[in-house]
Amino acid sequence: MKQFIKDLFSVAMLSLATVSLTAQTAADGLKDAYRNYFSIGVAVNQRNISDPAQVALIKKEFNSITAENAMKPVSVQPEKGKWNWAAADSVANFCRRNGIKLRGHCLMWHNQIGAWMYEDKNGHLLSKKEFYRNMKEHIFAVVNRYKDVVYAWDVVNEAISDGGFQTSHYPGQKPYNGPYRYTPMFQIAGDEFIKMAFIWAHEADPKALLFYNDYNAADPAKRDRIYNMVKKLQAEGAPINAIGMQGHYNIYGPDMSDVEAAINKYSELVKTIHITELDIRANEEMGGQLQHKMGGAKITPWVKTLFEDQYTQLFKVLRRHSDVVKCVTFWNLGDRDSWVGVNNYPLLFDADYKPKHAYFLVKNFNADADKVEVKEDFQPSSMNQPGQTYPMVNSQGFARFRIVAPQAKSVIVSLGLGGRGGTVLHKGKDGVWFGQTDGPMDPGFHYYHYTIDGGTFNDPATNNYFGSCRWESGIEIPAPDEDFYALKQVPHGEVCLINFWSESTKSFHPAQVYLPAGYGKGKQRYPVLYLQHGWGENETAWFNQGRANLIMDNLIAEGKAQPFIIVTTYGMTNDVKFGTIGSFTAKEFETVLINELIPYIDQHFRTIAKRDGRAMAGLSMGGVETKLITLRHPEIFSAYGLLSGGTYAAQDIQPKAQVKYVFIGCGSKENPEAVNQSASDLKAAGINAESYVSPGTAHEFLTWRRCLYHMAQKLFSKR
Ligand code: XIL
C-alpha cells in the first residue's frame, strides 16, 4: 500500500523532494545562480544588518545592497547643515566589512526630503540660487562620504508625472499638465534641477553610475515620458548613464511584454538598467491606495500561482536582457520587512525569512529552456470540440490556450510545467485571454481546467473527460508513437454500455464492454480483461482518455494480440479521501466485481468463463485494487497487471496461484527502478513477469496506453 502511495504521488513527491533538497544542500544563493546575468541586490534596514541570521541570509543570497531609508535626503540632512550620518554609515560599513557593493539611494526626491532644501522658514519657495546651493552642498557631501563603497547613485527619484493635471499649494503657481512631477523643486527650477543634480553627482564621483529612477517605468505612457526626459537632458549635457526601473509590481501586472518593451526603449539611451526596488504584491492596489499594513490579500493557491508566475516570467525577461540589465534589487529582505506590508506577500522570503516556492523557481531556472525557439506549427488539439481552434499544440509539445473572459482579472490554466501550478494567461486589448505553456508538455493526454478569479471552469472549446471526480477538459499532445492508438482503417470492435444490478450495494452499476471486431459474427468465446481506472475516474476513462478500444483494434489487426474482451466498471474509488487511502481494502468493490459483475459478464457475453480466460489490471488506484483482489482471488484470474499502481513482491504470489503472466509498468518519470526490480524478483521466483517503462512520461495516460499496448500482447497469448 505504501508503494502505491509512493507511485501515485511520485511526480509531486519528486518535485517537492528536489526543492527541499536544494534548500538544504545548496550553499549557493540567488547571487550565484545569476552570476552570469546580473547582480542580485536587497534593500536593508538596520535590523537586517545587525541580526546574525539575517546577516547570514544577506551574505548568502545578495551581492548588492541599497539602504532602504538611511541615505535618503531627510535621513542624512534633516535640517540645513545638520548631518545625521549614523544610520547611513552603518550600512556603508556593513558593505565595506563584507565586501558588498552599495547602491546609493537617493540624492534628490520630493519625498523623504527636508523642506529646508527648497523652502524658507515662512514656507515660501526659495530662489533658484539658494535651492541650487543647498542641493549642490547636499550632493557633494553625501557622494564624497561614500565614494569608496557606493558604485551607483539614484541621483533623481520619481521626477516624472503619473499623468493629468497637478496643482501646487505655493502662491502664484497655476495647475500644470506636463510630463514632469510638479514638485517644489520643479516649480523653482524646471527640469534643469534634474540636469544639475546629475552634473554635480558626476563632479563629485566621476566613476559612479548615475541613475534616473522611477516607478511604473514599464507603463507605456510613463515610459515614454521618462525616455523623452532622459533623452532631452542627456542632449543638454546631463550625465545620465543609467535608468532604474523600480519594479513595485503586483500579481496582475505589469504585463511582461511592457517590461520588455521598456527595457528595449531605455537601452537606446543607456547601457545600464537596474531593477532597483523589486517586489510583487498579491494585491492590485497601487500607490496611495495600497493597503500597507492592514488587510492585504488572501494567499490562496491560485494567488500563489499568479505570484510565482509573475516572478518567473519577469526573471526570464531580465535574463534575456542581461546585456543591459546589470542588477536586480529586491525592496526588502523578507515579507516582514516589506514596506507594502507582510500581508501582501511581496518577496521571495516569507515573514520568517524562509524561501518561498517562488524563490526556487527564480533560482533554479533552466538556462537551456530560455533559449528554446517555439516552432510556429500549432494545430488544434485532437480533443477539441468540432470547429474549435484552441487549445492548440505544436510539434514540440507546447500548448496554447485562448478564452474570452473580458471582465476577468486573472485566468490560469491548470496545465503547466512541473511545480508551477499552471499556465497564467494574459488579457489582450480585445478582452481575450491568451497564453502558452512555458515549455513542452509530456506527450499524450492531459486533463486541465481554468481557474478564473479563483473559480473553476472547463474550457468551452474542448471535450470533457472524467477525472478528479468530475468531467474535466482534456488536451492531447501528439506523441511520436501515436500511431498505435490512432483511428485507422482496420476492423473495429465495439464498446457497449451496460448497467448491471449490484445486490451488495442495492444499485445499478455501469460498465463498458469492448467486444473485438468479429465478435458478433461467430460462436467463438473470448477471454476477458477486467481493466480498472484510477482515483477520480470512472468506467469511461479507459476508452475516452485511454483509447483502449483503438489500441486493441490495431493490435488485433496486426496480429500482435489475440482478441479479447475488455470490461471496465466503476471501481468505487472516488469516495476514498486522500489521507485514508492507506486503510483502503477494496472489499466492497471486490464483492461487486467477483460476485456480481463477473457472473453477469459470463452470462451475457461469450466469454471463456474460467480462470485461464480472465485477467485483471488497473492503473494507479485501480492497480491497488488489482493487487488486493488478484492476491485474494487467484482462482478467478490467471494474469495480473499493475500500471503505475504499485508492485508485487515475489512472496506475494503463492505457487498454487499458478499465475500465468504478471505485467508491471509505469512512466520513466515515476518509479521505474521499483517496477523493474519487482519484475526481476518475480522472474527469479519462477513467475512469468515483465516490466515496462514508458519513456518520457509520468503518472498520465500515455504511460497507460503504452502499458496496455505491451501487456495486451502477452495477457492471453500461448505461453
Ligand atoms: C520606502 C521605504 O521602503 C519605506 O520604509 C519608507 O517609509 C517610504 O519609502 N520608492 C522609493 C523608495 O524610491 O525609496 C521607497 O521606499 C519606496 C518607493
Side-chain angles (χ1 to χ4, degrees):
M1 189 60 65
K2 270 196 190 127
Q3 185 58 47
F4 156 67
I5 297 167
K6 217 168 136 192
D7 284 353
L8 184 58
F9 300 116
S10 62
V11 182
M13 291 204 344
L14 202 74
S15 55
L16 282 177
T18 320
V19 163
S20 57
L21 198 76
T22 320
Q24 284 159 12
T25 56
D28 289 350
L30 288 169
K31 65 174 174 16
D32 307 294
Y34 281 86
R35 191 185 297 118
N36 299 328
Y37 296 86
F38 34 73
S39 309
I40 303 283
V42 62
V44 296
N45 58 35
Q46 297 298 315
R47 233 179 17 258
N48 299 148
I49 56 171
S50 32
D51 175 275
Q54 294 177 39
V55 167
L57 184 65
I58 292 171
K59 284 161 65 175
K60 175 173 175 248
E61 302 289 345
F62 303 99
N63 51 10
S64 173
I65 276 184
T66 307
E68 183 186 9
N69 288 303
M71 291 188 169
K72 288 174 179 173
V74 77
S75 306
V76 287
Q77 202 184 177
E79 289 166 39
K80 186 171 169 63
K82 190 179 161 218
W83 295 93
N84 185 2
W85 298 111
D89 281 357
S90 72
V91 176
N93 288 335
F94 177 83
C95 292
R96 289 178 180 124
R97 239 183 1 259
N98 293 296
I100 306 179
K101 305 185 286 188
L102 182 56
R103 286 191 91 260
H105 176 83
C106 52
L107 296 173
M108 280 297 128
W109 188 23
H110 63 283
N111 268 332
Q112 294 182 278
I113 188 166
W116 61 266
M117 182 81 76
Y118 48 80
E119 259 181 14
D120 65 19
K121 291 208 170 63
N122 302 319
H124 297 130
L125 287 175
L126 297 177
S127 69
K128 185 158 113 178
K129 201 167 152 201
E130 284 170 289
F131 164 51
Y132 276 5
R133 195 186 313 126
N134 288 344
M135 181 164 94
K136 184 172 178 182
E137 234 175 73
H138 182 84
I139 290 176
F140 266 84
V142 181
V143 174
N144 272 323
R145 191 174 180 94
Y146 301 113
K147 247 178 178 168
D148 62 310
V149 60
V150 169
Y151 72 107
W153 272 106
D154 290 331
V155 177
V156 176
N157 198 27
E158 302 181 356
I160 289 293
S161 160
D162 288 325
F165 274 95
Q166 302 171 74
T167 51
S168 161
H169 69 274
Y170 295 106
Q173 304 284 344
K174 292 197 202 81
Y176 164 84
N177 185 12
Y180 294 96
R181 185 183 291 275
Y182 203 42
T183 63
M185 277 107 71
F186 181 80
Q187 290 165 44
I188 296 171
D191 63 6
E192 190 195 65
F193 94 88
I194 303 171
K195 179 175 83 180
M196 295 317 295
F198 277 91
I199 288 175
W200 290 325
H202 183 68
E203 269 177 37
D205 183 0
K207 290 197 303 291
L209 278 169
L210 302 181
F211 283 75
Y212 175 73
N213 189 49
D214 215 330
Y215 64 86
N216 284 0
D219 172 78
K222 189 158 175 185
R223 173 199 71 201
D224 289 351
R225 288 195 284 275
I226 294 172
Y227 175 92
N228 293 338
M229 179 270 287
V230 172
K231 191 170 180 175
K232 170 176 184 273
L233 297 183
Q234 279 178 335
E236 291 172 8
I240 308 176
N241 51 26
I243 290 178
M245 299 171 67
Q246 289 188 1
H248 295 295
Y249 298 152
N250 68 50
I251 56 173
Y252 302 104
D255 200 282
M256 286 309 135
S257 60
D258 285 341
V259 173
E260 185 150 41
I263 293 172
N264 284 332
K265 186 127 199 196
Y266 295 143
S267 56
E268 292 171 23
L269 303 176
V270 293
K271 289 200 176 65
T272 307
I273 293 173
H274 286 186
I275 305 299
T276 52
E277 306 181 16
L278 180 59
D279 46 29
I280 297 179
R281 58 187 180 274
N283 187 324
E284 66 182 330
E285 273 80 40
M286 297 290 279
Q289 308 150 336
L290 184 58
Q291 307 164 13
H292 284 257
K293 296 281 185 288
M294 2 89 77
K298 192 158 185 270
I299 311 302
T300 57
W302 64 274
V303 165
K304 264 195 187 150
T305 298
L306 296 178
F307 174 80
E308 288 162 3
D309 189 68
Q310 191 74 327
Y311 264 117
T312 307
Q313 303 303 341
L314 173 65
F315 273 84
K316 198 170 176 183
V317 167
L318 298 178
R319 288 194 296 274
R320 193 151 60 225
H321 293 279
S322 61
D323 55 328
V324 51
V325 175
K326 296 295 177 199
C327 182
V328 178
T329 295
F330 290 86
W331 203 249
N332 302 112
L333 184 57
D335 283 354
R336 180 191 300 178
D337 305 307
S338 171
W339 77 301
V340 298
V342 63
N343 295 331
N344 282 313
Y345 198 71
L347 296 162
L348 296 185
F349 295 97
D350 67 15
D352 300 318
Y353 301 105
K354 296 273 178 305
K356 299 178 187 174
H357 185 53
Y359 166 88
F360 297 102
L361 295 173
V362 167
K363 187 173 143 193
N364 303 334
F365 63 90
N366 178 345
D368 292 334
D370 282 354
K371 292 183 212 124
V372 170
E373 296 229 359
V374 180
K375 290 202 186 119
E376 282 305 323
D377 57 356
F378 285 83
Q379 298 284 338
S381 158
S382 60
M383 301 304 206
N384 288 0
Q385 292 181 24
Q388 296 295 332
T389 311
Y390 285 88
M392 298 187 99
V393 292
N394 83 348
S395 57
Q396 297 157 293
F398 284 81
R400 274 183 184 163
F401 301 89
R402 178 189 187 275
I403 189 165
V404 180
Q407 300 296 317
K409 273 184 5 194
S410 71
V411 177
I412 304 168
V413 176
S414 58
L415 196 63
L417 291 190
R420 288 280 307 283
T423 299
V424 175
L425 306 195
H426 293 275
K427 185 154 79 171
K429 305 243 174 329
D430 49 3
V432 175
W433 294 79
F434 186 80
Q436 175 177 294
T437 55
D438 232 8
M441 300 283 96
D442 287 352
F445 172 85
H446 302 282
Y447 297 107
Y448 74 96
H449 58 258
Y450 281 114
T451 300
I452 301 183
D453 295 344
T456 305
F457 302 89
N458 276 12
D459 190 333
T462 63
N463 293 332
N464 292 168
Y465 302 85
F466 202 80
S468 319
C469 305
R470 57 181 287 275
W471 293 91
E472 285 251 288
S473 299
I475 191 172
E476 181 78 23
I477 310 290
D481 54 345
E482 63 187 357
D483 191 63
F484 81 85
Y485 53 85
L487 179 60
K488 292 194 284 199
Q489 292 282 4
V490 296
H492 289 287
E494 293 164 19
V495 180
C496 55
L497 173 64
I498 59 168
N499 287 298
F500 63 96
W501 176 251
S502 156
E503 191 53 36
S504 65
T505 63
K506 297 272 187 285
S507 62
F508 282 102
H509 283 225
Q512 298 205 346
V513 182
Y514 167 77
L515 301 169
Y519 175 89
K521 297 219 172 86
K523 293 245 151 52
Q524 193 187 332
R525 292 189 164 270
Y526 294 85
V528 184
L529 165 64
Y530 290 87
L531 184 58
Q532 289 310 124
H533 57 82
W535 183 86
E537 296 169 339
N538 66 12
E539 72 285 352
T540 60
W542 264 110
F543 298 111
N544 288 351
Q545 292 90 299
R547 303 196 172 199
N549 51 329
L550 299 182
I551 293 170
M552 290 309 300
D553 292 343
N554 293 336
L555 277 173
I556 294 166
E558 286 179 44
K560 286 187 176 161
Q562 134 171 33
F564 57 84
I565 293 171
I566 296 178
V567 177
T568 65
T569 192
Y570 172 52
M572 301 164 72
T573 48
N574 299 349
D575 295 330
V576 178
K577 298 275 172 286
F578 281 126
T580 62
I581 225 162
S583 51
F584 179 66
T585 62
K587 277 285 184 196
E588 290 84 3
F589 177 57
E590 178 180 320
T591 305
V592 172
L593 177 70
I594 305 288
N595 300 353
E596 296 163 355
L597 177 61
I598 292 179
Y600 181 97
I601 295 293
D602 284 340
Q603 216 172 27
H604 290 81
F605 296 90
R606 290 201 312 278
T607 62
I608 299 173
K610 56 180 187 181
R611 190 184 161 285
D612 272 3
R614 288 192 209 101
M616 180 174 185
L619 70 89
S620 193
M621 194 165 172
V624 176
E625 295 183 320
T626 300
K627 180 173 171 180
L628 291 167
I629 295 172
T630 51
L631 293 180
R632 292 198 291 253
H633 289 281
E635 80 287 2
I636 302 286
F637 305 101
S638 63
Y640 318 157
L642 307 184
L643 288 57
S644 309
T647 55
Y648 290 101
Q651 66 271 22
D652 290 339
I653 298 175
Q654 303 305 319
K656 65 175 183 331
Q658 295 177 344
V659 57
K660 294 279 171 57
Y661 176 69
V662 176
F663 174 92
I664 303 172
C666 72
S668 64
K669 299 183 183 179
E670 297 189 272
N671 201 348
E673 294 78 21
V675 159
N676 288 331
Q677 186 63 50
S678 166
S680 64
D681 289 352
L682 294 179
K683 266 189 268 186
I687 296 163
N688 177 27
E690 255 183 343
S691 62
Y692 168 76
V693 174
S694 160
T697 61
H699 202 74
E700 55 204 359
F701 252 103
L702 186 55
T703 300
W704 306 318
R705 289 175 185 165
R706 287 172 174 167
C707 282
L708 176 62
Y709 175 82
H710 287 274
M711 181 175 74
Q713 302 184 37
K714 301 285 181 58
L715 270 184
F716 301 107
S717 62
K718 298 249 157 14
R719 301 154 179 137

